[in-house]
């Protein structure tokens, strides 16, 4: 009976995700895309279906108790701060706080607002201008500098967009008396692909590890089976990010990199941490190019343009235009600088208040000057 | 307040903004941006409650346009962008000397060729003498101070088209403006128009071409703190101050010395 209920629950959960997010994609691939008509994607479906699936499996494995209060369960599934773009929560981590009378103390309110404002600043003052940089430079076409700038701008944009939102979600959670896990840990300082995925979208990586990779056998059943398990996980990870062949290819790309590392490349990389960081960054950059390539046919041209070393004055113009924002973003990717800035904000109340109120005013000014700025991860 | 000052200040600030949006009168136009503002929210409560509201873009535009102290917000944001190194926005380019120009506001070569052909037809049909002049734009005159990567306008090419016409006499104003571009304020620093001095220089050049003695320059009053249409598109404080000059003329008309 338990296995039947689990299967039924998972089918219902995955069925909703497949219907809303992937049915159109698969039917279009088969050439019968019109059968389904227009399907409006529910906000945050990739996140709450994954949370629900994790809950069902945890209850089945008796790792957590089944929630008998529908309102408490609904609060877990629909918790608004993280509903639309994560982090993906496990019921066991949230359940105790949902059951008690939460009265966030002054410390939690202050910490929450600090994180919220930091996240807002990353999104509005960094990710949005980086998005503009990416759009303008991508439109130039055959200029190596513009192609590099476009790729770097997207790499930074997606990080600060997603990281910013995650901080805002964690901050809002704190202000409600809840603790959410951090989703990022300086991903662009990773020394290998494996290391990168320990630092990027941590809650998603852990979900796939706990609910797909390990149940499939993980790395315990020999090399071939390990590689097959990795392939399944990474194709699913790619598809999770969107219903498109670019995401599938991106998942496959990470599978290749991670497999190579499992086969021994990681040991080679570890010999020199500077080189390993540079090589990892380069492969992350290429990965984001695949990820953002909505028309895959254009990808070879973009890669060719990067290494053609043909320059126009347009590239120099955009380099000058966006050097400030790119430099600021790069500096914040360096762990030591981020930690130092964080400590200054935590330690000194005067600095925290004056800096973050100025930041809030700048954000309001920026928002008043622009209209719709959706978070990139909303679409996933 | 002592334990969570940031939390309280932020909530107060956001609360004050929200109250001001509700209390302040709806502004119809922005003098700074020189444009009409969104005055309708576009929110239909019935649609909203039934979940069939088509989109909220009009509401977002309303909130942006009616944001309290929007003009100050526009200036702060533009200045921040400029401070970060951005010199191009909405077609407005900030030159190395802080002057704002619009390189795209010059005449399109195709339109110029069409207009030239029309002028030639006019001359041929009427037999009247036709003189034509191209007023160069600030982007052309100060082209050497445009940032690298901005396409230089080819106004000399348009002039050549004009000069190539058999029956139209082209008056070349370029050398005169080039000669005085560093000692005279020919164009406003924040607008695409030329100043009274630029206009007077052109007038003198035309008079010379037509063999007329030009009138003397008029006295003028200078108004500080002028901001032109280019500033409206990129209202950065780092571009420097502009002034507006108005020639003072005697508005009385004398007829038969009375």
């Amino acid at each position: 009976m338990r296995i039947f209920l689990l299967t039924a629950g998972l089918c219902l959960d995955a069925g909703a995700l497949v219907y809303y997010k992937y049915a159109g994609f698969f039917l279009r691939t088969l050439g019968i895309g019109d059968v389904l008509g227009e399907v409006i994607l529910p906000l945050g479906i990739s996140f709450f279906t994954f949370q629900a699936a994790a809950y069902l499996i945890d209850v089945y494995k008796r790792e957590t108790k089944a929630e008998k209060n529908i309102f408490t369960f609904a609060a877990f599934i629909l918790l608004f701060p993280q509903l639309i773009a994560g982090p993906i929560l496990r019921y066991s981590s949230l359940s105790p706080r949902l059951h008690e009378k939460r009265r966030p103390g002054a410390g939690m309110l202050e910490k929450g607002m600090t994180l919220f404002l930091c996240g807002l600043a990353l999104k509005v003052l960094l990710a949005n201008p980086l998005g503009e940089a990416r759009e303008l430079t991508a439109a130039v076409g055959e200029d190596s500098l513009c192609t590099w700038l476009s790729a770097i701008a997207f790499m930074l944009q997606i990080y600060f967009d997603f990281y910013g939102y995650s901080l805002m979600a964690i901050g809002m959670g704190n202000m409600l008396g809840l603790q959410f896990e951090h989703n990022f840990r300086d991903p662009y300082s990773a020394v290998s692909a494996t290391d990168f995925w320990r630092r990027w979208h941590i809650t998603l990586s852990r979900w796939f590890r706990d609910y797909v990779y390990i149940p499939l056998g993980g790395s315990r059943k020999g090399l071939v089976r390990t590689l097959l398990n990795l392939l399944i996980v990474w194709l699913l990870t790619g598809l999770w990010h969107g219903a498109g062949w670019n995401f599938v290819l991106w998942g496959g790309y990470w599978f290749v990199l991670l497999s190579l590392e499992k086969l021994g490349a990681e040991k080679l990389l570890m010999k020199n941490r500077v080189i390993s960081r540079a090589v990892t960054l380069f492969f992350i950059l290429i990965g984001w190019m695949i990820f953002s390539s909505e028309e895959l046919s254009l990808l070879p041209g973009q890669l060719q343009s990067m290494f053609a070393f043909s320059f126009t004055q347009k590239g120099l113009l955009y380099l000058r235009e966006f050097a400030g924002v790119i430099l600021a973003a790069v500096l914040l990717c360096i762990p030591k600088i981020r930690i130092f800035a964080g400590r200054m904000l935590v330690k000194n109340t005067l600095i925290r208040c004056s800096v973050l109120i100025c930041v809030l005013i700048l954000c309001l000014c920026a928002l008043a000057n622009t209209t719709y700025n959706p978070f990139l991860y909303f679409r996933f | 307040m002592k334990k969570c000052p940031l939390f309280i200040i932020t909530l107060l600030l956001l609360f004050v903004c929200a109250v001001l949006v509700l209390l302040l009168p709806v502004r119809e136009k922005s003098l700074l941006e020189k444009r009409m503002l969104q005055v309708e929210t576009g929110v239909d409560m019935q649609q909203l409650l039934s979940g069939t509201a088509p989109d909220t873009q009009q509401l977002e535009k309303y909130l942006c346009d009616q944001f309290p102290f929007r003009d100050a917000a526009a200036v702060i944001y533009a200045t921040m962008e400029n401070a970060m190194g951005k010199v191009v926005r909405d077609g407005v380019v900030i030159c190395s000397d802080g002057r704002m120009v619009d390189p795209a506001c010059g005449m399109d070569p195709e339109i110029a060729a069409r207009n030239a052909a029309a002028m030639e037809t006019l001359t041929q049909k009427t037999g009247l003498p036709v003189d034509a002049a191209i007023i160069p734009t600030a982007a052309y005159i100060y082209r050497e101070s445009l940032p690298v990567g901005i396409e230089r306008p080819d106004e000399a090419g348009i002039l050549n088209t004009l000069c190539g016409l058999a029956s139209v006499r082209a008056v070349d104003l370029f050398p005169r403006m080039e000669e005085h571009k560093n000692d005279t304020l020919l164009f406003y620093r924040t607008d695409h128009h030329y100043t009274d001095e630029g206009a007077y220089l052109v007038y003198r050049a035309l008079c010379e071409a037509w063999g007329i003695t030009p009138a003397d320059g008029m006295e003028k009053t200078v108004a500080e703190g002028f901001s032109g249409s280019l500033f409206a598109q990129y209202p950065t404080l780092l571009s420097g101050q502009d002034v507006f000059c108005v020639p003072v003329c005697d508005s009385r008309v004398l007829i038969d010395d009375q």
Side-chain angles (χ1 to χ4, degrees):
Chain A
M1 187 60 182
R2 283 173 61 79
I3 188 76
F4 169 74
L5 285 175
L6 172 71
T7 313
L10 287 178
C11 285
L12 199 66
D13 192 47
L17 185 62
V18 168
Y19 171 75
Y20 284 109
K21 194 168 172 179
Y22 301 108
F25 167 65
F26 288 124
L27 291 176
R28 269 196 310 278
T29 306
L30 295 172
I32 47 171
D34 296 336
V35 177
L36 209 59
E38 192 194 5
V39 177
I40 297 171
L41 191 68
L43 194 63
I45 190 167
S46 303
F47 292 93
F48 66 73
T49 49
F50 267 44
Q51 285 193 182
Y55 167 78
L56 285 172
I57 296 167
D58 286 352
V59 170
Y60 173 75
K61 288 160 74 178
R62 300 188 198 280
E63 284 177 8
T64 189
K65 280 189 179 175
E67 178 55 60
K68 288 175 184 158
N69 184 331
I70 184 86
F71 294 107
T72 310
F73 182 70
F76 163 65
I77 293 293
L78 301 174
L79 197 61
F80 78 88
Q82 49 74 242
L83 171 70
I84 33 189
I88 298 168
L89 304 175
R90 287 180 80 154
Y91 186 66
S92 54
S93 68
L94 208 62
S95 165
R97 299 293 283 162
L98 287 176
H99 282 99
E100 66 188 19
K101 272 194 178 175
R102 292 181 312 282
R103 282 211 182 126
M108 284 282 269
L109 293 175
E110 187 75 351
K111 185 184 163 199
M113 190 57 88
T114 305
L115 288 174
F116 180 84
L117 291 179
C118 288
L120 183 72
L122 295 183
K123 163 66 184 161
V124 176
L125 302 179
L126 279 183
N128 287 355
L130 286 165
E132 189 196 349
R134 184 222 167 191
E135 235 171 67
L136 288 170
T137 46
V140 174
E142 290 170 6
D143 178 289
S144 299
L145 187 54
C146 281
T147 314
W148 276 100
L149 279 175
S150 170
I152 292 168
F154 182 74
M155 180 176 174
L156 294 168
Q157 182 201 2
I158 196 164
Y159 172 48
F160 285 107
D161 192 283
F162 195 14
Y163 181 41
Y165 183 79
S166 293
L167 281 183
M168 289 167 78
I170 295 166
M172 281 191 279
N174 284 172
M175 287 187 268
L176 294 172
L178 300 167
Q179 289 279 10
F180 298 160
E181 293 156 271
H182 276 269
N183 227 359
F184 295 92
R185 203 163 42 84
D186 303 311
Y188 293 151
S189 65
V191 289
S192 66
T194 313
D195 188 29
F196 173 69
W197 281 102
R198 285 190 200 117
R199 295 163 176 270
W200 179 273
H201 205 171
I202 296 166
T203 54
L204 178 74
S205 310
R206 202 167 49 211
W207 193 97
F208 274 109
R209 185 197 67 195
D210 293 348
Y211 299 107
V212 182
Y213 184 65
I214 291 174
L216 283 172
S219 55
R220 301 184 307 272
K221 297 189 175 178
L223 183 65
V224 176
R225 186 62 190 270
T226 304
L227 292 180
L228 181 67
N229 292 344
L230 270 179
L231 179 65
I232 292 168
V233 165
W234 284 101
L235 290 182
L236 287 175
T237 305
L239 266 179
W240 180 88
H241 281 84
W245 289 111
N246 54 324
F247 298 114
V248 177
L249 184 65
W250 178 73
Y253 170 82
W254 280 109
F255 158 71
V256 172
L257 291 182
L258 291 162
S259 302
L260 286 173
E261 285 187 1
K262 279 225 175 298
L263 294 171
E266 197 177 8
K267 278 180 195 164
L268 274 176
L269 273 177
M270 288 302 173
K271 285 184 178 170
N272 185 318
R273 290 182 83 81
V274 176
I275 293 174
S276 66
R277 277 208 175 98
V279 171
T280 307
L281 268 181
F282 174 74
F283 283 113
I284 294 169
L285 184 88
I286 300 295
W288 290 131
M289 284 182 79
I290 299 169
F291 184 92
S292 61
S293 199
E294 283 171 19
E295 279 197 46
L296 277 177
S297 56
L298 300 178
L299 186 63
Q302 287 169 352
L303 291 171
Q304 200 178 2
S305 165
M306 277 176 107
F307 301 102
F309 299 108
S310 71
F311 300 100
T312 64
Q313 291 200 330
K314 226 34 179 185
L316 292 175
L317 173 72
Y318 287 134
L319 180 65
R320 178 210 161 115
E321 282 281 278
F322 298 109
V325 71
I326 289 177
L327 182 69
V330 167
L331 288 176
L332 280 175
C333 287
I334 299 169
K336 278 185 183 167
I337 293 177
R338 184 191 58 74
I339 291 166
F340 174 75
R343 272 193 195 142
M344 291 299 286
L345 292 178
V346 171
K347 269 186 181 175
N348 191 313
T349 307
L350 185 65
I351 291 179
R352 179 171 68 245
C353 289
S354 45
V355 168
L356 289 179
I357 291 300
C358 287
V359 158
L360 173 65
I361 290 169
L362 284 178
C363 288
L364 290 175
C365 292
L367 289 170
N369 277 276
T370 48
T371 47
Y372 186 49
N373 297 298
F375 285 98
L376 286 184
Y377 259 71
F378 276 11
R379 71 178 79 152
F380 312 134
Chain B
M1 178 71 181
K2 271 185 182 173
K3 287 182 179 172
C4 49
L6 181 68
F7 178 78
I8 291 171
I9 296 169
T10 306
L11 285 193
L12 270 177
L13 192 68
L14 294 177
F15 178 74
V16 168
C17 282
V19 169
L20 286 177
V21 168
L22 294 173
L23 294 185
L24 287 176
V26 173
R27 289 171 70 209
E28 286 189 357
K29 61 181 176 184
S30 163
L31 289 177
L32 175 84
E33 295 169 84
K34 302 189 196 317
R35 70 174 178 92
M36 300 306 286
L37 300 174
Q38 179 77 30
V39 291
E40 300 288 336
T41 59
V43 174
D44 179 336
M45 279 315 282
Q46 274 186 335
Q47 267 191 339
L48 199 67
L49 292 173
S50 64
T52 54
D55 61 53
T56 54
Q57 282 188 0
Q58 206 174 327
L59 176 64
E60 284 176 32
K61 193 159 178 7
Y62 172 85
L63 288 172
C64 284
D65 280 3
Q66 299 300 333
F67 191 80
F69 314 113
R70 181 186 160 79
D71 287 354
V75 171
I76 291 171
Y77 184 59
T79 307
M80 183 188 77
E81 276 195 332
N82 195 193
M84 293 283 279
K86 203 165 178 331
V87 290
V88 185
R89 191 210 233 190
D90 295 336
V92 175
V93 176
I94 300 176
C95 297
S96 53
D97 59 357
R99 173 189 306 280
M100 289 178 164
V101 296
D102 178 4
C105 82
M107 191 179 270
D108 182 86
E110 272 182 35
I111 297 172
R114 219 163 44 223
N115 289 354
M119 277 192 290
E120 194 152 50
T121 311
L122 175 75
T123 324
Q124 283 160 2
K125 281 190 178 171
T126 60
L128 293 170
V130 173
D131 288 344
I134 299 284
I135 311 291
T137 61
Y140 178 77
I141 292 295
Y142 297 102
R143 57 195 176 281
E144 70 280 359
S145 58
L146 283 171
V148 174
I150 295 290
E151 207 173 318
R152 267 65 175 157
D154 180 25
E155 288 168 20
I158 296 172
L159 184 73
N160 287 338
T161 310
L162 211 59
C163 292
L165 300 176
S167 53
V168 175
R169 189 167 65 134
V171 182
D172 188 356
L173 302 171
F174 287 32
R176 184 65 65 91
M177 295 197 87
E178 292 273 7
E179 188 187 333
H180 291 281
K181 68 179 180 184
N182 293 324
D183 56 35
T184 311
L185 185 67
L186 297 176
F187 295 88
Y188 288 105
R189 291 176 64 84
T190 60
D191 199 282
H192 62 277
H193 287 101
Y194 53 16
T195 60
D196 64 312
E197 289 187 62
Y200 184 66
L201 201 72
V202 167
Y203 160 74
R204 284 184 70 91
L206 284 173
C207 286
E208 276 172 30
W210 291 332
I212 304 170
T213 311
D216 291 335
M218 285 181 274
E219 281 184 27
K220 59 187 175 184
T221 55
V222 177
E224 300 280 341
F226 167 69
S227 60
S229 59
L230 299 179
F231 182 81
Q233 285 166 268
Y234 199 168
T236 165
L237 295 176
L238 303 181
S239 65
Q241 291 286 307
D242 205 355
V243 291
F244 190 73
C245 307
V246 187
V248 182
C249 57
D250 191 346
S251 58
R252 287 173 301 170
V253 177
L254 299 177
I255 299 172
D256 294 338
D257 291 334
Q258 292 182 359

